[in-house]
């Protein structure tokens, strides 16, 4: 059995990248592998026997300048990260280092250290940081690919938090950890969607170094029971998720909508859309979330950015809940129009409104929702994922 070291900047259920790390760790251990974890110290982290190796937490929004400078130094000279990571490598002696989200808070320096020791480096990408200094390929609410060929776009357009200083740092980081350097220190990049692979290639990355491996559903989901009279959204309440499109469509319709999640737009959206049939439910633990999703007539994913391979869609489908998704990023790879959901043009309020009306008609109480669940659970099977991952570890 292999010894595998998983690295991610956070080690608690924060987002899709953390979900991938935690479920992959559980899956690997279930198959008898020794697994170590490397992350940044954080008060919300899950307790780990490896936390003594974790470097100190840094924050780019620290209240004091000294804290922000400490975070900035980690972009280029993360000596504390390198020291602790080398110690972990020497003590654990992994066969494979499997990276996830490491930019900025840990740094690709960890890949560099592992590569110099001759350890195989596999890197799962959860956002577009290697080709977009601002992570999201989004500018002024629209997809942007300018930095695919000219990294200075992030600086001239102030794409990072609309801040000249933050954008300057992002530009410098992109120049320092450039494509050639990342390719030299990584054996294989994993993209959870074909769409992301295509964008990586468009930005100059070698196609033979990129493999696509969809996310998987590890936990068992019971068969779908009855359906309610509502539809829902699950995810972060932030600009790139397209909540404005959904809410503008929803206020024109009588159907109950449940918004599940938290984020920077929670207060403003809940204040601006006080309609009785729209309920903002906040963040929910998974044991409470799943029954709400499972009883929903369908889930809406109204994103305006290049979604990769959203867990919220995968979980909904595995629960037997169809998905009405924006035709953008990797979302269309998950939806078979007319069978397990439908698609609409991203940002099109009228198109989404019509899609919601159509979805309530199509996915009536008599629809075979169990077939959606069975098909999804087969497609996103953990054992299939494991077999494919082992091939990438062994190459």
């Amino acid at each position: 059995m292999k010894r595998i070291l998983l690295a991610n900047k956070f080690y608690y259920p924060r987002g899709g990248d953390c979900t991938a790390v935690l479920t992959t760790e559980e899956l690997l251990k279930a198959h008898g592998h020794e697994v170590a974890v490397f992350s940044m110290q954080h008060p919300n982290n899950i307790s780990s026997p490896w936390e003594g190796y974790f470097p100190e937490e840094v924050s780019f929004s620290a209240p004091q300048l000294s804290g922000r400078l400490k975070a900035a130094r980690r972009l280029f000279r993360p000596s504390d990260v390198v020291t602790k990571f080398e110690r972990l490598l020497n003590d654990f002696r992994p066969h494979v280092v499997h990276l996830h989200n490491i930019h900025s808070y840990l740094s690709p320096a960890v890949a560099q250290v592992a590569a110099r020791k001759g350890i195989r480096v596999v890197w799962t990408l959860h956002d577009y940081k290697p080709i977009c200094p601002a992570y999201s390929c989004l500018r002024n609410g629209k997809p942007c690919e300018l930095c695919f060929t000219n990294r200075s776009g992030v600086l001239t357009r102030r794409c990072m938090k609309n801040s000249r200083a933050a954008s300057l740092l992002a530009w410098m980081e992109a120049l320092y950890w450039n494509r050639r350097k990342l390719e030299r220190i990584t054996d294989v990049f994993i993209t959870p969607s074909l769409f992301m692979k295509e964008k990586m290639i468009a930005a100059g990355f070698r196609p033979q170094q990129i493999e696509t491996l969809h996310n998987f559903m590890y936990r068992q989901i019971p068969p779908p029971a009855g359906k309610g009279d509502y539809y829902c959204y699950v995810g972060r309440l932030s600009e790139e998720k397209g909540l404005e499109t959904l809410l503008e469509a929803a206020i024109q319709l009588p159907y109950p909508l449940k918004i599940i999640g938290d984020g920077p737009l929670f207060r403003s959206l809940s204040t601006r859309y006080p309609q009785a049939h729209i309920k903002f439910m906040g963040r929910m633990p998974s044991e409470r979330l799943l029954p709400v999703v499972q009883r929903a007539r369908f889930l809406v994913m109204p994103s305006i950015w290049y979604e990769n391979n959203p867990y919220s869609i995968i979980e909904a489908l595995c629960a037997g809940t169809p998905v009405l998704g924006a035709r953008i990023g990797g979302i269309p790879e998950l939806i078979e129009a007319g069978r397990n959901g439908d698609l609409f043009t991203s940002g099109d309020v009228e198109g989404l409104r019509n899609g919601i009306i159509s979805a309530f008609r199509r996915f009536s109480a008599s629809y075979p929702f169990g077939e959606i669940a069975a098909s999804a659970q087969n497609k996103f099977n953990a054992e299939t994922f494991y077999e494919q991952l082992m091939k990438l570890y062994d190459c």
Side-chain angles (χ1 to χ4, degrees), residues 95-109:
H95 299 101
V96 178
V97 168
H98 187 167
L99 309 175
H100 288 263
N101 265 358
I102 58 168
H103 265 97
S104 305
Y105 293 92
L106 289 179
S107 162

Side-chain angles (χ1 to χ4, degrees), residues 6 27 35 59 71 87 145 147 162 166 172 178-179 184 205 215 294 297 299 307 312:
L6 300 174
L27 179 64
V35 183
S59 173
R87 185 159 63 90
E145 300 181 4
C147 286
N162 197 30
M172 293 171 64
N178 57 64
R179 174 180 60 81
R184 283 199 304 270
F205 278 78
N215 292 323
Q294 196 166 38
R297 196 74 65 84
L299 176 140
E307 286 281 0
S312 56

Side-chain angles (χ1 to χ4, degrees), residues 3 23 37 45 83 94 98 104 131 146 182 234 285 315 321-322 359 362 374:
R3 290 185 300 276
T23 54
V37 176
N45 276 351
T83 298
H98 187 167
S104 305
I131 60 178
L146 181 62
L182 295 182
V234 177
E315 186 170 55
T321 298
R362 178 180 294 123

Side-chain angles (χ1 to χ4, degrees), residues 66-327:
S66 60
R68 297 194 295 274
L69 289 175
K70 183 185 292 186
R73 283 196 297 272
R74 191 165 282 185
L75 299 177
F76 312 106
R77 294 184 179 276
S79 57
D80 57 334
V81 173
V82 169
T83 298
K84 294 204 169 188
F85 191 68
E86 283 187 323
R87 185 159 63 90
L88 178 55
L89 292 181
N90 292 336
D91 291 347
F92 183 62
R93 295 177 295 111
H95 299 101
V96 178
V97 168
H98 187 167
L99 309 175
H100 288 263
N101 265 358
I102 58 168
H103 265 97
S104 305
Y105 293 92
L106 289 179
S107 162
V110 297
Q112 198 170 53
V113 171
R116 286 173 179 169
K117 289 179 175 290
I119 302 169
R120 183 167 179 79
V121 176
V122 176
W123 190 343
T124 296
L125 302 172
H126 298 279
D127 58 38
Y128 298 88
K129 182 65 173 177
I131 60 178
C132 170
Y135 295 92
S136 64
C137 295
L138 193 68
R139 177 164 56 89
N140 298 327
K142 301 290 183 182
C144 174
E145 300 181 4
L146 181 62
C147 286
F148 287 13
T149 54
N150 182 5
R151 296 291 193 270
S152 65
V154 66
L155 184 59
T156 58
R157 270 73 174 182
R158 299 189 188 183
C159 296
M160 198 70 173
K161 302 178 181 178
N162 197 30
S163 162
R164 178 177 295 175
S167 298
L168 174 62
L169 277 177
W171 174 68
M172 293 171 64
E173 184 184 20
L175 293 182
Y176 188 81
W177 295 110
N178 57 64
R179 174 180 60 81
R180 290 183 180 87
K181 187 178 290 186
L182 295 182
E183 286 180 329
R184 283 199 304 270
I185 61 180
T186 306
D187 290 287
V188 60
F189 295 98
I190 296 176
T191 61
S193 67
L194 287 169
F195 179 89
M196 175 177 266
K197 178 177 181 177
E198 291 168 359
K199 293 305 177 185
M200 291 282 289
I201 294 170
F205 278 78
R206 294 196 294 260
Q208 62 269 28
Q209 206 169 345
I210 307 170
E211 297 290 340
T212 297
L213 181 57
H214 285 308
N215 292 323
F216 69 99
M217 183 56 55
Y218 190 60
R219 63 174 171 165
Q220 294 294 317
I221 297 180
K227 288 291 184 179
D229 63 350
Y230 62 89
Y231 63 120
C232 69
Y233 165 84
V234 177
R236 183 170 167 79
L237 274 62
S238 52
E239 179 196 12
E240 74 276 7
K241 293 298 185 177
L243 269 298
E244 295 273 3
T245 305
L246 172 57
L247 291 167
E248 285 298 313
I251 60 175
Q252 304 174 39
L253 299 169
Y255 311 113
L257 168 63
K258 296 185 179 183
I259 305 287
I260 306 166
D262 202 352
L265 298 183
F266 182 90
R267 180 171 295 181
S268 64
L269 291 178
S270 58
T271 300
R272 289 167 50 205
Y273 296 92
Q275 286 79 8
H277 69 288
I278 300 175
K279 185 175 182 181
F280 289 84
M281 304 181 70
R283 189 178 181 88
M284 298 176 66
S286 58
E287 62 271 15
R288 288 181 53 214
L289 171 63
L290 181 59
V292 176
V293 173
Q294 196 166 38
R295 285 189 54 79
R297 196 74 65 84
F298 55 92
L299 176 140
V300 178
M301 178 63 71
S303 298
I304 59 173
W305 81 298
Y306 290 158
E307 286 281 0
N308 187 5
N309 195 232
Y311 273 101
S312 56
I313 292 182
I314 292 173
E315 186 170 55
L317 295 176
C318 288
T321 298
V323 177
L324 179 56
R327 193 180 289 104

